[in-house]
C-alpha cells in the first residue's frame, strides 16, 4: 500500500463519499497524506482538513481539478495547495458551477430527444449541493434502469462521441495554469494517457510537445502513477516528467463510483518523497 494519494473526489463534486467519509477511508487504508481534488470546487476542503485533524494520523493537501478544453479535447489540470482565499479562483469556481448546471440541462434534453426518459429535476436532486457533473446523470440512468453501473452510462450515452454530449469547459489549460499560479497552487497535468478502468477519454495528442509548452507556462507536475496505468505508460510518463523537470504526481482518482474494478485509495500513488519535492516548489 502507498502513503500518498494526490487525486481524490468527494460529494463536493462527483464523488459519493462526503469529505469526512473519504478521509476516514483513506486513513483506514493507511494513507498518510492525501489531496482532495474535486472538480472545479474547493467546497470539500475545510471539512476534509477538519476530519484529518480530528484523526491525527493523516494530512490533507487542499486541491482542485480544473476541466479545460483544448482543440476540442478535454484536458484536466490539478492545482495542489491553492490559497483558500483567492477571489479569482473562487470567481472561476462560481462560473464553472453555473456552466455545469446549464450544460447538464442540455445533456438531459438531448437524451430526452432520443427517447431516454430521465428528468432534470431528478439529476439536480442527485447532485444536491455538489458541483454537478456527468456522473450525476449517469446515476439517474442507473436508477432508471437504462444501465447497470455508471461506466456503462458513459459507454452508451455520456461519452464525448455520443450525440447527447455537450462540452463543459470554457477555459484552456494555459488559462487554468495561470489561474492556479495566481492562487499559489502548483499546476499538475492530470491523467495524460488513457486508462482502461477510469475512462474512454481520448489520449492527449502530441503529448510531449504540449507538456513542454505547459511547463513553459508554469506547470509543476504531471501524473505518472495513475489508476490502472501499465508499467509501460508509467515509464513513458516518467521520461516526460524528467525531460521537463516536472514532479511525478498521481493517485487513485477515487470517486467511490460503484464501477467494477475502481482503483481504491492507497493502491496507487507516487513515493512520499515527491510530497516533499512539491512542498519545496511552493513559494
Ligand atoms: P464531467 O466533469 O461532467 O465532464 O464528467 C466527467 C467525470 O465523469 C470524470 O471526472 C469521471 O468522474 C467520470 N467519467 C468520465 N468518463 C468516464 C467513463 N468512461 N466511465 C466512468 N466515469 C467516467
Ligand atoms: Mn470525476
Ligand atoms: Mn479528471
Ligand atoms: Mn479526477
Amino acid at each position: 500500500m502507498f502513503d500518498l494519494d494526490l487525486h481524490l473526489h468527494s460529494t463536493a463534486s462527483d464523488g459519493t463519499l462526503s469529505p469526512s467519509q473519504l478521509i476516514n477511508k483513506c486513513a483506514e487504508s493507511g494513507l498518510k497524506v492525501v489531496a482532495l481534488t474535486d472538480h472545479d470546487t474547493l467546497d470539500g476542503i475545510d471539512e476534509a482538513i477538519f476530519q484529518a485533524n480530528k484523526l491525527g494520523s493523516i494530512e490533507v493537501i487542499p486541491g482542485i481539478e480544473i476541466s479545460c478544453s483544448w482543440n476540442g479535447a478535454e484536458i484536466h489540470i490539478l492545482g495542489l495547495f491553492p490559497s483558500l482565499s483567492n477571489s479569482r479562483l473562487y470567481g472561476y469556481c462560481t462560473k464553472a458551477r453555473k456552466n455545469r448546471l446549464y450544460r447538464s440541462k442540455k445533456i438531459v434534453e438531448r437524451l430526452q430527444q432520443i427517447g431516454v426518459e430521465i428528468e432534470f429535476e431528478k439529476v439536480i436532486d442527485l447532485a444536491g449541493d455538489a458541483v454537478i457533473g456527468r456522473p450525476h446523470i449517469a446515476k439517474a440512468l442507473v436508477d432508471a434502469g437504462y444501465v447497470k453501473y455508471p461506466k456503462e452510462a458513459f459507454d452508451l450515452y455520456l461519452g464525448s462521441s455520443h450525440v447527447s454530449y455537450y462540452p463543459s469547459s470554457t477555459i484552456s489549460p494555459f488559462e487554468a495554469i495561470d489561474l492556479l499560479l495566481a492562487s499559489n497552487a502548483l499546476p499538475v497535468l492530470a491523467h495524460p494517457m488513457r486508462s482502461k478502468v477510469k475512462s474512454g477519454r481520448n489520449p492527449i495528442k502530441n503529448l510531449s510537445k504540449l507538456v513542454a509548452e505547459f511547463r513553459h507556462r508554469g506547470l509543476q507536475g504531471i501524473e505518472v502513477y495513475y489508476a490502472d496505468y501499465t508499467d509501460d505508460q508509467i515509464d513513458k510518463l516518467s521520461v516526460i516528467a524528467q525531460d521537463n523537470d516536472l514532479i511525478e504526481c498521481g493517485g487513485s482518482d477515487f470517486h467511490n463510483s460503484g464501477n467494477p474494478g475502481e482503483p481504491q485509495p492507497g493502491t496507487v500513488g507516487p513515493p512520499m518523497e515527491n510530497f516533499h519535492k512539491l512542498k519545496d516548489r511552493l513559494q
Side-chain angles (χ1 to χ4, degrees):
M1 294 300 271
F2 292 81
D3 293 332
L4 179 63
D5 190 326
L6 296 173
H7 193 155
L8 296 158
H9 294 269
S10 76
T11 47
S13 66
D14 57 5
T16 71
L17 296 182
S18 70
S20 308
Q21 290 171 325
L22 177 70
I23 296 309
N24 288 343
K25 184 174 173 74
C26 290
E28 281 162 21
S29 311
L31 281 159
K32 298 285 179 280
V33 180
V34 295
L36 180 62
T37 54
D38 273 306
H39 299 282
D40 298 328
T41 185
L42 296 166
D43 283 359
I45 303 291
D46 285 348
E47 184 185 321
I49 291 176
F50 183 86
Q51 186 62 18
N53 288 341
K54 211 162 112 184
L55 295 177
S57 60
I58 187 164
E59 180 177 342
V60 170
I61 300 174
I64 189 166
E65 178 169 17
I66 298 195
S67 294
C68 312
S69 54
W70 187 247
N71 289 339
E74 218 181 295
I75 291 183
H76 291 180
I77 306 280
L78 301 170
L80 299 177
F81 306 98
S83 152
L84 300 180
S85 57
N86 183 278
S87 56
R88 193 170 147 195
L89 187 55
Y90 274 95
Y92 164 77
C93 292
T94 306
K95 208 172 135 201
R97 184 182 274 273
K98 276 195 205 135
N99 282 341
R100 281 172 163 278
L101 193 62
Y102 175 79
R103 174 247 196 174
S104 302
K105 191 157 186 282
K106 286 281 166 206
I107 293 176
V108 171
E109 281 169 12
R110 289 179 179 190
L111 286 170
Q112 288 166 345
Q113 278 163 16
I114 58 165
V116 176
E117 289 171 23
I118 54 165
E119 297 299 326
F120 187 54
E121 285 66 32
K122 168 85 197 296
V123 178
I124 301 264
D125 275 359
L126 286 169
D129 292 333
V131 168
I132 202 163
R134 280 179 286 164
H136 299 113
I137 306 175
K139 177 72 169 63
L141 289 164
V142 173
D143 290 355
Y146 284 97
V147 289
K148 284 200 276 310
Y149 42 83
K151 190 163 190 345
E152 203 179 12
F154 278 86
D155 294 342
L156 296 178
Y157 298 105
L158 300 172
S160 57
S161 52
H162 196 264
V163 286
S164 68
Y165 184 72
Y166 193 93
S168 75
S169 170
T170 53
I171 185 172
S172 82
F174 292 98
E175 289 168 317
I177 290 169
D178 291 349
L179 174 70
L180 290 168
L181 291 175
S183 71
N184 299 318
L186 301 175
V188 173
L189 178 62
H191 40 67
M193 291 182 179
R194 188 191 285 267
S195 140
K196 270 205 191 113
V197 295
K198 292 301 295 186
S199 79
R201 205 184 288 113
N202 291 329
I204 299 172
K205 286 192 195 122
N206 302 320
L207 182 64
S208 303
K209 185 168 167 279
L210 199 56
V211 168
E213 289 170 21
F214 290 165
R215 176 68 179 120
H216 197 67
R217 194 69 167 247
L219 191 76
Q220 299 296 320
I222 183 168
E223 286 197 315
V224 169
Y225 307 93
Y226 176 80
D228 62 339
Y229 276 2
T230 61
D231 290 347
D232 184 52
Q233 284 176 306
I234 292 172
D235 289 348
K236 286 190 173 122
L237 289 168
S238 192
V239 168
I240 294 178
Q242 281 166 34
D243 285 351
N244 291 281
D245 188 28
L246 291 168
I247 296 167
E248 298 184 357
C249 297
S252 58
D253 198 2
F254 181 66
H255 287 68
N256 200 46
S257 62
N259 287 321
E262 180 176 15
Q264 298 293 302
T267 57
V268 53
M272 189 52 109
E273 60 174 296
N274 293 22
F275 169 58
H276 301 293
K277 288 184 188 168
L278 285 166
K279 287 225 285 206
D280 287 347
R281 293 231 182 156
L282 288 171
Q283 279 139 16

